[in-house]
């Protein structure tokens, strides 16, 4: 029955062109076009930077899921997905045909699949613009031996961060049965993570701040995976990164459970 719910939800949402494009396609497509135009502009007026690392560019693309600005689009896609049934008052047509748990789980699965594809498209887009820069004269270095681990770890961390954002949007949409309010709140949640990262400073922040702000946990885990400095001469350590992974998973589990409990107990007299 879950497979039927996933198939139906996929069929339905893939035909919501507005939510699909702005939520999951606009970011990778916009970044690719911007980078290609920037490469062309620089290449025709001056020399492009030398020594572009293809692997590093791909990893940076996969890490863009942690940008609060780009999370606006993912939040819009999540709210469109989870609020659609309330807006069109179609829950009454669906709940007699499948369990509520399956119907809501199907939405989470579709959202997770679309965010994963969008992140992969961001990585691929960075690879394409780097190769294009090579055609314009830049020296492109091939990925090193640690590239697969860095790419996979960065992808999974960014994916988990976007799943937290989607779960927040789902909980707000289910609780309020609205679209605009949950969208604004989800955007505020995304920017709150960015502000906490700048104000608290993950190098010195205590672990309870990592638990309170999943965006900080995700940023620290990405730095630990890639081995980048978080401050001059300071690197991320496993004693903080591993709890950060658990905090991310905990946010996903707790928010997802809250959505399911709320939806199971919700009266749907009109929807």
């Amino acid at each position: 029955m879950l497979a039927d719910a996933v198939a139906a939800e996929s069929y339905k949402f893939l035909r919501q062109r507005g939510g699909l494009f702005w939520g999951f396609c606009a970011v990778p497509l916009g970044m690719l076009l911007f980078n290609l135009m920037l490469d062309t502009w620089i290449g025709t007026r001056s020399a492009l930077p030398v020594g572009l690392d293809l692997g590093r560019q791909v990893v940076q693309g996969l890490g863009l899921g942690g940008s609060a600005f780009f999370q606006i689009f993912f939040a819009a896609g999540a709210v469109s997905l989870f609020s659609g049934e309330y807006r069109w008052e179609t829950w009454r047509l669906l709940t007699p045909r499948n369990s509520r748990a399956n119907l809501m789980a199907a939405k989470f699965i579709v959202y997770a699949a679309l965010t994963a594809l969008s992140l992969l498209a961001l990585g691929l887009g960075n690879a394409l613009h780097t190769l294009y820069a090579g055609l314009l004269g830049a020296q492109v270095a091939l990925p090193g031996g640690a590239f697969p681990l860095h790419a996979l770890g960065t992808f999974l961390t960014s994916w988990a961060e976007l799943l937290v954002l989607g779960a927040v949007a789902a909980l707000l949409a289910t609780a309020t049965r609205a679209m605009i309010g949950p969208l604004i709140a989800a955007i505020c949640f995304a920017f709150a993570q960015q502000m906490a990262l700048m104000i608290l400073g993950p190098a010195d922040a205590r672990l309870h701040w990592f638990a309170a702000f999943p965006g900080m946990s995700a940023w620290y885990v990405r730095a630990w995976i890639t081995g980048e400095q978080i401050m001059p001469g300071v690197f991320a350590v496993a004693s903080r990164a591993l709890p950060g992974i658990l905090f991310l998973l905990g946010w996903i589990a707790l928010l997802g459970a809250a959505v399911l409990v709320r939806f199971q107990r919700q009266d749907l007299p009109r929807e």
Side-chain angles (χ1 to χ4, degrees):
M1 296 295 285
L2 178 59
D4 295 336
V6 172
E9 189 64 39
S10 302
Y11 179 86
K12 178 178 59 180
F13 189 72
L14 290 177
R15 281 152 183 80
Q16 296 181 22
R17 295 184 179 89
L20 178 64
F21 176 79
W22 291 109
F24 304 101
C25 301
V27 169
L29 182 60
M31 280 300 299
L32 176 60
L33 293 176
F34 173 79
N35 286 327
L36 291 178
M37 289 188 295
L38 183 62
D39 290 338
T40 302
W41 188 85
I42 296 175
T44 55
R45 286 164 174 77
S46 61
L48 282 164
V50 296
L52 290 175
D53 190 323
L54 179 61
R56 183 180 179 85
Q57 291 295 317
V58 172
V59 171
Q60 287 180 349
L62 295 172
L64 289 176
S67 167
F69 175 74
F70 293 141
Q71 286 181 4
I72 294 175
F73 296 89
F74 289 103
V79 170
S80 176
L81 179 64
F82 288 99
S83 296
E85 312 303 340
Y86 296 103
R87 178 186 180 188
W88 301 111
E89 300 183 357
T90 51
W91 274 129
R92 66 180 184 274
L93 303 176
L94 301 176
T95 48
R97 292 167 173 79
N98 211 325
S99 69
R100 292 194 179 195
N102 285 342
L103 291 172
M104 188 57 68
K107 288 185 177 291
F108 275 109
I109 291 172
V110 171
Y111 173 79
L114 290 173
T115 51
L117 292 174
S118 188
L119 283 175
L120 292 175
L122 280 168
L124 178 60
N126 267 23
L128 291 176
H129 103 78
T130 303
L131 295 175
Y132 176 69
L135 294 177
L136 295 178
Q139 296 180 6
V140 178
L142 295 178
F147 166 71
L149 179 60
H150 291 175
L152 179 61
T154 301
F155 166 76
L156 291 176
T157 306
S158 297
W159 191 33
E161 187 174 3
L162 291 176
L163 291 180
V164 172
L165 179 67
V168 169
L171 180 59
L172 294 169
T174 305
T176 63
R177 310 184 190 212
M179 294 189 71
I180 302 301
L183 176 58
I184 295 174
I187 292 172
C188 291
F189 175 83
F191 278 95
Q193 309 305 305
Q194 201 78 35
M195 292 297 295
L197 186 63
M198 293 187 294
I199 295 172
L200 297 175
D204 302 320
R206 297 186 178 182
L207 283 179
H208 67 267
W209 289 118
F210 283 77
F213 297 100
M216 182 184 297
S217 295
W219 184 90
Y220 196 90
V221 170
R222 278 192 294 267
W224 175 65
I225 290 171
T226 58
E228 296 181 358
Q229 297 184 33
I230 57 176
M231 291 178 60
V234 179
F235 294 87
V237 294
S239 60
R240 286 173 171 266
L242 295 179
I245 295 173
L246 296 178
F247 294 147
L248 282 171
L249 296 177
W251 269 83
I252 296 170
L254 289 175
L255 289 172
V259 173
L260 290 176
V261 170
R262 172 61 179 166
F263 186 56
Q264 289 280 17
R265 298 179 177 180
Q266 193 170 49
D267 291 330
L268 300 170
R270 291 189 307 143
E271 293 84 1

